[in-house]
């Protein structure tokens, strides 16, 4: 009987943790994307109400984050599934869904390496591309694909 009483606080704590975690929104368990490389002027904004801040390698990026490169900036973003997205200078995009590797290109170009099993969806002003297992250069009015 004494042994059972010692487990009551542990079981109660686990029940509280479980109850709190069940209240998380769908997708809240998904890992974030992150900057793997940042060169020059790269800024990001977590959401429309947040302030713009300088990007750094290793910084995590969630859905809704906007990323901009200036005339000397470039960066690489890695999605949880391993796909890469490279932004050259003068690009602007929003990560619409990190869990589904979806971005909206607002201006400029992006180069993506979409690994098999973890494709990337890029929405532009006049076209949308869903890519898997190849390299794609996507930009304003152009798209190039190669293995």
């Amino acid at each position: 009987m004494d042994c059972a009483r010692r487990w009551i606080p542990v079981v109660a704590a686990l029940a509280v943790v479980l109850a709190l975690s069940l209240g998380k929104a769908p997708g809240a368990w998904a890992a974030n994307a992150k900057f793997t490389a940042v060169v020059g002027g790269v800024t990001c904004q977590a959401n429309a109400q947040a302030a713009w801040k300088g990007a750094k390698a290793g910084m995590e990026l969630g859905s809704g984050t906007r990323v901009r490169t200036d005339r000397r900036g470039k960066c690489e973003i890695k999605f949880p599934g391993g796909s890469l997205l490279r932004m050259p200078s003068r690009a602007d995009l929003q990560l619409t869904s990190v869990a589904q590797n979806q971005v909206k290109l607002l201006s400029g170009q992006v180069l993506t390496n979409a690994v098999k099993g973890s494709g990337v969806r890029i929405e532009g002003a006049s076209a949308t591309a869903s890519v898997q297992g190849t390299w794609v250069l996507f930009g304003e009015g152009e798209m190039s694909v190669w293995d």
Side-chain angles (χ1 to χ4, degrees):
M1 196 61 119
D2 192 31
C3 182
R5 282 190 210 158
R6 282 188 274 167
W7 283 98
I8 291 174
V10 173
V11 172
L14 288 173
V16 169
V17 169
L18 180 62
L20 290 173
S21 65
L22 289 176
K24 288 193 174 206
W29 293 104
N32 287 329
K34 71 167 85 174
F35 285 114
T36 53
V38 175
V39 177
V42 181
T43 54
C44 60
Q45 181 185 38
N47 59 55
Q49 291 76 37
W52 287 90
K53 60 184 176 179
K56 296 178 184 168
M59 182 183 286
E60 293 194 350
L61 307 165
S63 294
T65 301
R66 192 161 162 194
V67 180
R68 284 185 186 161
T69 56
D70 67 14
R71 64 186 180 93
R72 293 188 180 150
K74 57 185 173 181
C75 66
E76 180 179 80
I77 298 169
K78 185 173 186 178
F79 288 97
S83 290
L84 297 173
L85 185 119
R86 293 180 180 161
M87 294 177 65
S89 62
R90 295 186 170 123
D92 186 358
L93 66 76
Q94 182 173 26
L95 301 171
T96 52
S97 174
V98 169
Q100 296 176 1
N101 299 352
Q102 295 180 357
V103 300
K104 181 173 186 174
L105 183 61
L106 303 170
S107 66
Q109 297 178 331
V110 292
L111 176 66
T112 182
N113 180 12
V115 298
K116 289 184 180 177
S118 177
V120 175
R121 181 179 169 93
I122 306 164
E123 179 186 339
S126 59
T128 299
S130 292
V131 188
Q132 189 171 8
T134 191
W135 284 92
V136 173
L137 177 65
F138 189 92
E140 299 166 339
E142 67 176 298
M143 183 172 78
S144 301
V145 179
W146 56 119
D147 288 328

